[in-house]
Amino acid sequence: MAISALGNLAIIALLLLTATSAITASNTAHEGFLQCFLNHTQSSNASSHLVYAPNTTAYNTVLRSSIQNIRFLYSSTTKKPVLIVTPTNESHVQASVICSRKYGLNIRVRSGGHDYEGMSYVSDHEVFIIVDLANLRSITVDAEHSIAWVQAGATLGELYYTIGVKNKTAAFTAGVCPTVGVGGHLSGGGIGTISRKYGAAADNVIDAQLVDANGSLLNRESMGEDLFWAMRGGGAASFGIVLSYKIKLAYVPPTVTAFNINRNLGQNATYLVSRWQQIAAKFDENLYMRVIAQAVDDSTTGNRTIQAVFNSLFLGTCKELVTLMETSFPELGFEAKDCSGSEMSWLESVLFFAGYSNESANILLDRRPEYNSSFKAKSDFVREPIPETEWEKIWKFLLEPEDEPLVMIMEPFGGRLSEISESAIPFPHRKGNLYIIQYFMRWFQIDPAVTKRHLDWMRKLYGFMTPYVSSHPRAAYLNYKDIDLGRTDKHTTYKDARVWGTKYFKNNFKRLAFVKATVDPGNFFRNEQSIPPLLVL
Ligand SMILES: Cc1cc2nc3c(=O)[nH]c(=O)nc-3n(C[C@H](O)[C@H](O)[C@H](O)COP(=O)(O)OP(=O)(O)OC[C@H]3O[C@@H](n4cnc5c(N)ncnc54)[C@H](O)[C@@H]3O)c2cc1C
Ligand SMILES: *[C@@H]1O[C@H](CO)[C@@H](O)[C@H](O)[C@H]1NC(C)=O
Ligand SMILES: *[C@@H]1O[C@H](CO)[C@@H](O)[C@H](O)[C@H]1NC(C)=O
Ligand SMILES: *[C@@H]1O[C@H](CO)[C@@H](O)[C@H](O)[C@H]1NC(C)=O
Ligand SMILES: *[C@@H]1O[C@H](CO)[C@@H](O)[C@H](O)[C@H]1NC(C)=O
Ligand SMILES: *[C@@H]1O[C@H](CO)[C@@H](O)[C@H](O)[C@H]1NC(C)=O
Ligand SMILES: *[C@@H]1O[C@H](CO)[C@@H](O)[C@H](O)[C@H]1NC(C)=O
Ligand SMILES: *[C@@H]1O[C@H](CO)[C@@H](O)[C@H](O)[C@H]1NC(C)=O
Ligand SMILES: *[C@@H]1O[C@H](CO)[C@@H](O)[C@H](O)[C@H]1NC(C)=O
Ligand SMILES: *[C@@H]1O[C@H](CO)[C@@H](O)[C@H](O)[C@H]1NC(C)=O
Ligand SMILES: *[C@@H]1O[C@H](CO)[C@@H](O)[C@H](O)[C@H]1NC(C)=O
């Protein structure tokens, strides 16, 4: 008894000692960083205004400015940054890398703050700084040559707006949410309404600027084709800090048609979703039709039902669409009246998909988060249609939660997405995929019990879906990042990380780990799901 009490005391003393020395170490580190950063950037007059310490009032505002998933802010197990740096010049990014490395601080790079697991602004174990690129967001469009340079801190909304107002028939293939950051999105793939025609966003990156672990500013030529390959779909966070991308624009007709068709269980939703699976990936590549399914109260009966929204974009007129639908999907019963009033410019279709009705296009420049809420998502790829009888069981899962709905967003593949080879870039989801499912749940309470309940729903449905989706590996989409798939720390080896790495990247994972070893052998750029270096092939 006495011995064990003494033992406990010794342990407590040891813990206290470790805790104190950790605090001292991190204080020294971030003060050292600050000195070093100011030293490196002193020619730039504003440099001290670029750094926010936790003891300033602005720190919280800057930290919160682009966070989409607030649950990590209230988690007792996650750490917040010791400093936030907001560069306005490339040289500030270089100084951040050089000085963090010198003082042993981890870096989290943030562009749009949409990371599903908060990896751009919190950490489990690391003492870290945020390099927030929101001020580096200039966009230069050369519409005549169908190219643009876009800085990483720009949002998709800013990019679409800048392209769309310059040239009505120019566009870029990427995701639908306007506040998503270019920096994270293009480095993880990027899929949206015109991906069946033009591929993923990362397929359309033709050059880039990146700061590596040595603080060197590189472009495609100086970084070499291996690193340029890796940063287009492999998640740039494992390799460096992207400053800008040169992208290839897409052609869109001056008139497009954006529309929703809603069907509930009483209107054959089960049959129609089941049929949609078989044909949506084979539609004309000008037609994108995704399905958003969730439980709702039927407006006429008041009963709970499943509503399937066929949320669609056609690159053409309503008249052309009616003809196409008669041959492509007659079961839906689509008529001319379903698209009357739905003709618009491509830029207006961006507003439509973002859920805006008659707001003017410059709302796309609003970078503030649409919600200050928590969410959890997971993804799956479907390669064989799921039988109609099984959909009845899936609906039961969606009908079960009584507060916030569990939403299934199903986006068709096929077209250009499927023509590109699996190894062209690290984004490997190509031929053979009919569609991707994103399971998504959003909630507003920060009570840990509420969070747990939602995570449990999500994991239960994911378990149930196992027999119906891709296997060996059960593939997942990096931009819908899911920490349940596996976790890394600085000691994780390539072999251990393979479990989740092959889900995101299939056979590209090995090459990614090898590229990592050549450009960042010391694993400076790391997070809870980063690629470990593979030193020997
Ligand atoms: C509401 C919502 C809608 C979405 N819609 C779509 C969609 O339609 N299609 C789709 O494909 N995806 C979609 N996504 C997912 C989105 O593509 C990813 O979350 C993406 O990674 C977000 O990029 P970000 O810059 O906003 O995020 P951040 O949180 O800033 O960054 C995400 C990751 O990338 C790293 N990173 C960010 N910037 C850089 C940089 N400059 N250099 C190196 N690493 C960097 C971060 O460190 C982090 O690991 C959506 C997400 C949300 C929340
Ligand atoms: C900052 O620069 C001064 C003068 O060049 C140098 O003496 C000092 O060591 C530097 N400090 C850091 C932290 O780099
Ligand atoms: C430095 O910044 C301050 C405050 O932002 C400004 O008043 C001053 O004119 C600047 N000096 C130079 C030389 O740019
Ligand atoms: C805030 O913290 C920084 C860095 O540790 C320190 O240099 C500064 O003096 C502090 N400011 C205040 C007002 O306490
Ligand atoms: C960064 O500063 C350099 C040198 O002053 C300048 O040439 C460059 O244009 C700046 N970059 C940005 C993005 O402002
Ligand atoms: C507009 O964009 C289209 C498609 O990218 C391009 O073919 C055309 O030349 C551009 N027009 C102008 C005036 O820039
Ligand atoms: C549902 O689909 C079946 C088979 O196509 C069809 O016979 C039936 O009329 C449809 N019902 C409704 C309400 O559309
Ligand atoms: C609505 O639900 C009630 C109770 O379950 C049921 O009696 C009724 O038939 C339902 N109405 C319709 C239109 O399905
Ligand atoms: C949208 O249009 C309706 C009807 O014309 C109008 O009442 C409403 O104020 C408009 N909303 C916005 C945001 O402009
Ligand atoms: C979310 O929080 C940010 C930062 O505090 C704020 O600017 C924004 O208006 C909030 N958005 C909503 C929808 O409440
Ligand atoms: C980084 O710098 C070290 C030491 O100068 C050098 O050996 C290494 O090759 C550099 N790495 C890259 C990717 O340039």
Side-chain angles (χ1 to χ4, degrees):
M1 174 99 186
I3 291 171
S4 111
L6 266 178
N8 281 343
L9 269 179
I11 288 167
I12 290 166
L14 196 71
L15 281 175
L16 275 174
L17 255 178
T18 334
T20 321
S21 62
I23 288 166
T24 317
S26 83
N27 267 351
T28 318
H30 86 253
E31 269 155 23
F33 173 90
L34 212 56
Q35 263 314 313
C36 171
F37 183 79
L38 296 178
N39 260 12
H40 272 84
T41 56
Q42 63 198 187
S43 58
S44 145
N45 178 35
S47 68
S48 66
H49 305 298
L50 304 173
V51 184
Y52 298 88
N55 60 4
T56 61
T57 48
Y59 173 90
N60 268 313
T61 314
V62 177
L63 178 62
R64 285 288 295 257
S65 59
S66 65
I67 290 181
Q68 289 278 331
N69 199 351
I70 62 169
R71 77 183 145 102
F72 306 106
L73 285 179
Y74 299 98
S75 157
S76 54
T77 57
T78 49
K79 288 191 180 173
K80 298 202 180 65
V82 292
L83 292 172
I84 305 173
V85 184
T86 56
T88 54
N89 189 285
E90 293 89 342
S91 62
H92 304 152
V93 177
Q94 293 175 277
S96 300
V97 170
I98 292 163
C99 299
S100 305
R101 211 171 146 179
K102 186 165 173 190
Y103 289 96
L105 292 167
N106 184 238
I107 284 188
R108 296 304 164 101
V109 189
R110 187 166 75 175
S111 290
H114 282 56
D115 194 273
Y116 279 27
E117 301 288 356
M119 287 175 203
S120 57
Y121 52 87
V122 292
S123 171
D124 285 350
H125 303 294
E126 307 280 0
V127 178
F128 72 103
I129 65 163
I130 292 180
V131 173
D132 187 316
L133 300 179
N135 292 327
L136 288 173
R137 60 168 191 274
S138 75
I139 300 166
T140 317
V141 177
D142 178 355
E144 217 178 313
H145 297 100
S146 291
I147 54 169
W149 272 102
V150 55
Q151 283 189 312
T155 61
L156 292 181
E158 291 168 334
L159 177 62
Y160 294 156
Y161 179 85
T162 309
I163 296 169
V165 295
K166 187 132 191 197
N167 182 337
K168 218 180 161 185
T169 63
F172 183 62
T173 172
V176 300
C177 174
T179 51
V180 163
V182 162
H185 187 71
L186 272 60
S187 86
I191 50 172
T193 60
I194 57 174
S195 296
R196 298 191 62 251
K197 185 159 184 178
Y198 292 109
D203 291 323
N204 292 277
V205 171
I206 51 182
D207 201 342
Q209 286 183 298
L210 174 135
V211 174
D212 73 3
N214 281 354
S216 305
L217 178 55
L218 307 172
N219 62 17
R220 178 175 184 168
E221 199 188 340
S222 54
M223 77 177 77
E225 286 303 306
D226 273 341
L227 179 52
F228 185 62
W229 173 83
M231 61 172 286
R232 289 172 297 157
S238 297
F239 302 98
I241 301 182
V242 181
L243 290 176
S244 62
Y245 298 96
K246 183 181 186 181
I247 56 175
K248 200 163 81 205
L249 303 184
Y251 168 80
V252 286
T255 302
V256 306
T257 308
F259 61 101
N260 284 332
I261 302 293
N262 300 353
R263 295 285 186 265
N264 64 27
L265 293 181
Q267 299 164 326
N268 263 351
T270 310
Y271 168 75
L272 292 171
V273 169
S274 155
R275 180 74 189 134
W276 169 90
Q277 300 177 95
Q278 297 162 353
I279 54 182
K282 293 183 219 142
F283 283 163
D284 184 306
E285 60 188 21
N286 290 308
L287 177 60
Y288 164 86
M289 181 178 274
R290 68 173 177 171
V291 176
I292 303 172
Q294 67 184 83
V296 297
D297 292 328
D298 185 329
S299 56
T300 51
T301 66
N303 285 359
R304 286 296 268 177
T305 185
I306 294 294
Q307 184 180 63
V309 177
F310 295 85
N311 181 222
S312 317
L313 179 70
F314 175 61
L315 297 175
T317 62
C318 175
K319 190 154 172 264
E320 293 163 328
L321 174 62
V322 173
T323 315
L324 182 65
M325 290 292 278
E326 272 164 16
T327 53
S328 303
F329 197 1
E331 298 87 346
L332 191 59
F334 186 86
E335 298 170 18
K337 69 173 167 50
D338 292 319
C339 58
S340 75
S342 300
E343 289 185 343
M344 56 187 83
S345 68
W346 173 77
L347 188 60
E348 285 161 345
S349 83
V350 169
L351 295 170
F352 174 85
F353 277 90
Y356 295 119
S357 42
N358 51 0
E359 283 85 348
S360 77
N362 63 14
I363 193 148
L364 297 174
L365 305 178
D366 189 344
R367 298 170 61 94
R368 285 172 303 173
E370 292 88 336
Y371 309 94
N372 289 312
S373 64
S374 299
F375 68 86
K376 172 67 191 171
K378 296 172 93 65
S379 63
D380 261 324
F381 287 86
V382 178
R383 302 174 68 91
E384 295 288 336
I386 301 171
E388 198 174 332
T389 49
E390 303 308 297
W391 281 103
E392 312 267 3
K393 298 179 194 160
I394 295 169
W395 300 152
K396 288 213 176 77
F397 273 92
L398 303 195
L399 287 163
E400 235 177 291
E402 279 172 1
D403 39 17
E404 292 87 357
L406 206 169
V407 185
M408 284 173 73
I409 304 166
M410 297 172 269
E411 300 184 79
F413 270 52
R416 182 75 190 129
L417 267 179
S418 301
E419 285 164 14
I420 297 170
S421 97
E422 284 195 1
S423 59
I425 61 171
F427 175 91
H429 312 292
R430 307 291 183 176
K431 203 169 149 199
N433 289 302
L434 298 176
Y435 60 99
I436 178 175
I437 304 176
Q438 179 179 191
Y439 313 95
F440 188 93
M441 210 165 197
R442 184 190 298 286
W443 63 97
F444 294 87
Q445 286 158 276
I446 50 176
D447 174 357
V450 175
T451 296
K452 181 175 184 306
R453 193 168 75 232
H454 287 91
L455 297 184
D456 288 348
W457 280 121
M458 196 56 97
R459 289 168 186 158
K460 200 167 94 179
L461 174 58
Y462 190 74
F464 176 79
M465 293 299 291
T466 311
Y468 310 118
V469 298
S470 67
S471 58
H472 312 293
R474 183 172 184 175
Y477 174 33
L478 180 66
N479 270 346
Y480 301 159
K481 196 176 286 170
D482 180 4
I483 196 68
D484 300 352
L485 302 179
R487 196 178 278 275
T488 52
D489 62 33
K490 60 179 144 185
H491 307 297
T492 304
T493 63
Y494 162 76
K495 237 175 119 185
D496 296 331
R498 233 172 15 190
V499 179
W500 59 263
T502 51
K503 290 177 186 290
Y504 288 137
F505 309 113
K506 297 194 179 172
N507 291 330
N508 297 328
F509 185 57
K510 192 169 191 179
R511 183 173 171 197
L512 284 169
F514 192 64
V515 175
K516 169 77 174 176
T518 62
V519 302
D520 184 19
N523 204 7
F524 172 68
F525 289 111
R526 62 176 183 270
N527 60 46
E528 288 72 18
Q529 218 174 52
S530 58
I531 296 163
L534 173 61
L535 295 165
V536 191
L537 250 192

